[in-house]
Amino acid sequence: MDYMLNEDLLAIKEICIEIGEKHILPVRAELDEGNEFPREIMNVIAQSDLFTIYIPEEYGGTGMGSMALAVATEELSRYCGGIAVSYAANALGAMPILLMGSEEQKKKYLPKLASGEKLCAFALTESEAGSDAGGVKTRAIKDGDHYILNGTKQWITNGGEAQIYTVIALTDPDRGARGASAFIVEEGTPGFSYGKKEDKMGIRASATRELIFEDCRIPAENLISREGYGFMVAMKTLDNSRPGVAAQAVGIAQGALDEALKYAEQRKQFGVKINSFQGLQFMLADMGTQIEAARALTYAAAGLIDTGSKNIVKLSAMAKVFASDVAMKVTVDAVQILGGYGYMKEYPVEKMMRDAKITQIYEGTNQIQRSVIAKAMIKEAKRK
Amino acid sequence: MKFVVAVKQVPDTAEVRIDPERGTLIRDGVPSIMNPFDTYALEEAMKWRDELGGEVTVITMGPPQAESVLREAISMGADDAVLISDRAFAGADTWATSHTLAAAVTELGAVDAVFFGKQAIDGDTAQTGPSVAASLDWPQITFIGKVRELNEKSITAERYVETGTQVVQAELPVVLTILKDANIPRVPSLRGKMKSRKAQIPVWGLIDLGLTEYETGLNGSPTKVVATATPEARIGGQIHEGSTEELVAKLADLLLGEGSEG
């Protein structure tokens, strides 16, 4: 299907295909096996300007917005979900600054993120605060013109690889979620260290690590927005980034379908190509249809964000839920179509299946997303 | 520094088929691409521009549609480009092509180095680069696997040749042909692609280059193609199996002309 992508979006797509073919395909299995961060590919991505697309022109970006980010993330994910998330997590990390940061903070950090000189990460999750982000325990106590951070963040994508972190911590624990604030913490700040690096099922090329704050003193000007606004910053960030997860899911699914189609054309059983069997054709048809529907919803959600609408929560969540469920189903089916070969690491579809699973879990589980969607719908219905 | 990169638009030979009766390339529906070897020349020029400052100008001689490879070069980071195109240039062999390209380099003025790929994948002659150097009466270093040093005055480069590595130094201006060992070409950038869409690419013809019809194109080409032919397909060798004794006996028979199987 032709989405009438404009010249800029087509250019992004072409660049991602070139990066995918030349730089990702030859190494993706190795990086997956080795749990290894794609540092060199991040350099190629930086040089090709892909870090500029979600950053406004006045801060060194190309200001192309959410749709452009979705196209890039989708296309990179077709080659490797782990490498794509290492890229897209930078947008997630930058989002609090983009959405709520001060002019000084934008000027100081965004140009370095646009050029790829520095990588970025968003730190909300803790061992006891997942879907219930209000359960955050990390403290930030004001001390003159500094804040002192104490606590541990868990499962932080790009942890240990990024140089700039946007961190949610409690400034007023008595007020629960309303007592949270968002901060910028730079690598190398005394009292800030990295903990355990996770050994994951999928997206293994991406880094997932603990951030440990022990009496970590950061300048007060690193507070994003105001004290007490941290939870809002976090929610707004995730509402804006969910189409990115959806795009990642669409890309992983498309990659798996491409492999399944290729294999079904080559593989012969009973003297004929297996794609001549109706049972398999129906599987392929469903996979293709579901991906196209997921892509349409993802582009709709990203497009809505680009209109500047404030009412993005429901559609962002819908795109994330639908696309990630499609990715899981399509990748499982792709493994099925490749049969025994699909189950082997020599073929890429088992990796795609492992990579797909996380899209149903992170940036809000699909169960929480369904609650969000239902609440939004019920609220809308009452207004009518 | 002012660097020129000469590129060529070629049919993607991975997609080309040969008409078995006429022995010619079937070009219909075959995508045109930048000669892959030229991407290494472009990267090498841009690498040294990024280090030393200056600009990279890309040139190509070809029909109007060859402009697309110039836009591709700009999207990868070249500063500007010139299309060398004129009906009078059609049918040029490597001599006439080199003569025309040399005139373009002269017209650009104050060029420090001209970079070529080692050869084009369609003609495979590897003559155009050296021939441009001869036309300009500049030194040349061909088959460069590594540029060791490049400065305002000179270049030191490693030539990868059959017998080993040759280290050659030359004064600027110079003509260079680059091997794929030299670098990994960068991918196009988003800003490059935006720039390439808007770039104004001048077209230089016969008059712009101060040339005459007698020294360009088919007229200016000493090469005359009398005929082209496809070499006959080679018949595969024979493979025999058995014990050493049996194989020695078999081989002796074959060499003595007995028991020949074809």
Side-chain angles (χ1 to χ4, degrees):
Chain A
M1 183 164 162
D2 184 359
Y3 286 91
M4 308 285 173
L5 300 185
N6 67 25
E7 283 183 321
D8 289 337
L9 296 178
L10 288 174
I12 289 169
K13 209 167 165 170
E14 285 164 16
I15 289 168
C16 292
I17 289 170
E18 192 145 348
I19 294 172
E21 296 289 329
K22 289 189 182 160
H23 296 273
I24 299 179
L25 271 189
V27 300
R28 67 178 177 187
E30 198 182 311
L31 294 177
D32 175 66
E33 187 71 25
N35 212 5
E36 201 183 321
F37 187 75
R39 174 60 63 181
E40 281 174 32
I41 296 169
M42 289 300 118
N43 292 340
V44 172
I45 286 174
Q47 177 261 310
S48 68
D49 295 334
L50 291 184
F51 286 126
T52 67
I53 63 185
Y54 46 85
I55 293 179
E57 288 182 72
E58 58 264 43
Y59 307 111
T62 47
M64 293 190 177
S66 289
M67 181 67 184
L69 179 61
V71 168
T73 306
E74 176 191 339
E75 216 52 43
L76 293 173
S77 299
R78 215 157 54 77
Y79 295 95
C80 177
I83 291 169
V85 75
S86 304
Y87 161 69
N90 283 277
L92 176 70
M95 207 66 84
I97 304 174
L98 284 164
L99 293 171
M100 307 278 282
S102 68
E103 187 58 28
E104 289 71 29
Q105 288 167 344
K106 288 178 180 177
K107 274 190 191 148
K108 184 173 176 191
Y109 295 105
L110 296 182
K112 286 175 189 162
L113 299 179
S115 68
E117 184 194 328
K118 304 218 162 162
L119 299 184
C120 193
F122 178 63
L124 170 63
T125 302
E126 297 181 7
S127 58
E128 289 169 51
S131 294
D132 179 10
V136 163
K137 295 267 193 312
T138 296
R139 285 291 314 270
I141 298 168
K142 184 100 188 253
D143 180 34
D145 53 2
H146 282 76
Y147 283 94
I148 303 168
L149 267 60
N150 276 289
T152 300
K153 292 289 172 184
Q154 182 175 275
W155 301 338
I156 304 309
T157 305
N158 280 354
E161 301 295 338
Q163 292 76 41
I164 295 165
Y165 295 84
T166 44
V167 179
I168 306 296
L170 295 180
T171 39
D172 188 353
D174 299 335
R175 299 190 66 209
R178 286 173 195 282
S181 303
F183 299 93
I184 302 167
V185 183
E186 294 186 44
E187 186 178 61
T189 308
F192 171 31
S193 61
Y194 302 120
K196 185 177 143 209
K197 187 178 173 185
E198 303 295 342
D199 190 10
K200 305 187 291 294
M201 171 198 263
I203 57 164
R204 290 171 56 81
S206 70
T208 308
R209 204 158 171 184
E210 275 181 347
L211 310 183
I212 300 166
F213 302 101
E214 293 163 306
D215 292 329
C216 172
R217 285 174 72 89
I218 57 165
E221 70 243 31
N222 285 19
L223 171 70
I224 297 171
S225 185
R226 292 157 55 185
E227 275 193 23
Y229 277 45
F231 197 66
M232 195 178 86
V233 169
M235 292 306 113
K236 274 193 164 193
T237 290
L238 293 169
D239 291 340
N240 276 276
S241 71
R242 273 187 198 108
V245 179
Q248 183 196 16
V250 171
I252 293 171
Q254 185 66 55
L257 176 60
D258 293 347
E259 292 294 335
L261 283 166
K262 194 168 78 185
Y263 180 83
E265 171 69 18
Q266 290 164 354
R267 174 74 167 173
K268 284 186 179 172
Q269 289 289 274
F270 306 102
V272 293
K273 291 174 186 173
I274 62 168
N275 64 11
S276 64
F277 298 117
Q278 197 179 46
L280 203 132
Q281 288 179 350
F282 282 9
M283 286 174 81
L284 290 169
D286 283 345
M287 291 158 84
T289 307
Q290 286 155 0
I291 290 171
E292 215 56 84
R295 181 177 288 124
L297 189 52
T298 301
Y299 288 1
L304 181 68
I305 292 173
D306 286 339
T307 64
S309 168
K310 302 268 175 241
N311 211 1
I312 61 172
V313 178
K314 184 184 75 177
L315 205 57
S316 283
M318 283 176 162
K320 193 269 184 190
V321 164
F322 188 78
S324 59
D325 284 353
V326 163
M328 200 63 242
K329 181 173 179 303
V330 166
T331 53
V332 168
D333 285 349
V335 171
Q336 189 68 21
I337 287 171
L338 270 79
Y341 292 105
Y343 199 70
M344 302 299 153
K345 289 206 168 188
E346 214 178 314
Y347 285 76
V349 288
E350 65 80 29
K351 171 186 178 293
M352 293 167 175
M353 182 176 143
R354 288 186 283 110
D355 287 353
K357 186 63 204 171
I358 191 63
T359 62
Q360 293 180 307
I361 299 171
Y362 64 13
E363 295 197 30
T365 63
N366 282 10
Q367 287 66 37
I368 281 286
Q369 296 310 303
R370 285 185 167 90
S371 296
V372 167
I373 294 164
K375 274 180 200 157
M377 283 164 50
I378 292 162
K379 206 163 115 188
E380 276 171 24
K382 275 184 190 162
R383 281 208 199 115
K384 278 178 190 164
Chain B
M1 305 291 278
K2 187 163 180 175
F3 298 137
V4 172
V5 183
V7 301
K8 184 177 186 184
Q9 188 179 46
V10 295
D12 187 349
T13 51
E15 310 266 337
V16 163
R17 285 167 304 128
I18 293 182
D19 182 333
E21 292 191 356
R22 302 162 99 196
T24 53
L25 298 180
I26 303 171
R27 294 201 180 210
D28 290 349
V30 176
S32 292
I33 57 168
M34 186 190 299
N35 176 39
F37 291 118
D38 298 347
T39 61
Y40 304 102
L42 176 60
E43 177 60 36
E44 199 61 27
M46 294 194 298
K47 201 167 87 184
W48 287 99
R49 171 205 61 192
D50 293 346
E51 185 158 326
L52 301 170
E55 57 185 44
V56 171
T57 301
V58 182
I59 61 173
T60 194
M61 187 179 107
Q65 61 266 30
E67 194 199 74
S68 67
V69 292
L70 298 176
R71 293 200 188 273
E72 190 184 337
I74 291 172
S75 76
M76 288 171 76
D79 297 280
D80 49 27
V82 179
L83 175 65
I84 298 151
S85 190
D86 197 306
R87 280 171 186 278
F89 299 157
D93 67 1
T94 54
W95 193 93
T97 302
S98 306
H99 187 66
T100 311
L101 289 175
V105 172
T106 306
E107 183 65 27
L108 284 166
V111 172
D112 293 295
V114 185
F115 294 73
F116 284 84
K118 72 159 181 164
Q119 66 198 57
I121 58 168
D122 55 353
D124 274 333
T125 68
Q127 289 171 357
T128 307
S131 186
V132 166
S135 270
L136 290 166
D137 199 19
W138 288 4
Q140 58 176 292
I141 307 178
T142 53
F143 301 111
I144 293 174
K146 188 183 177 188
V147 177
R148 279 193 187 175
E149 206 201 326
L150 181 59
N151 57 46
E152 302 273 329
K153 289 200 170 68
S154 71
I155 176 171
T156 309
E158 294 178 14
R159 302 183 68 220
Y160 291 179
V161 290
E162 279 128 4
T163 48
T165 300
Q166 217 176 32
V167 181
V168 181
Q169 190 169 45
E171 293 195 350
L172 305 190
V174 67
V175 173
L176 313 166
T177 80
I178 308 292
L179 299 178
K180 71 176 188 179
D181 310 75
N183 55 54
I184 298 167
R186 64 193 73 181
V187 297
S189 71
L190 191 52
R191 286 197 177 95
K193 278 187 176 267
M194 291 158 89
K195 184 182 167 193
S196 81
R197 281 208 301 270
K198 292 182 199 135
Q200 296 286 329
I201 297 179
V203 182
W204 290 355
L206 195 68
I207 296 164
D208 304 295
L209 297 180
L211 296 168
T212 68
E213 287 181 6
Y214 304 102
E215 53 191 322
T216 61
L218 199 56
N219 290 335
S221 298
T223 311
K224 299 294 171 227
V225 179
V226 181
T228 57
T230 313
E232 274 185 39
R234 282 168 61 173
I235 301 158
Q238 300 173 15
I239 296 172
H240 298 277
E241 285 176 29
S243 68
T244 309
E245 287 78 11
E246 284 164 5
L247 288 172
V248 168
K250 183 82 190 171
L251 184 62
D253 281 353
L254 287 169
L255 290 172
L256 295 169
E258 291 166 28
S260 169
E261 290 179 9

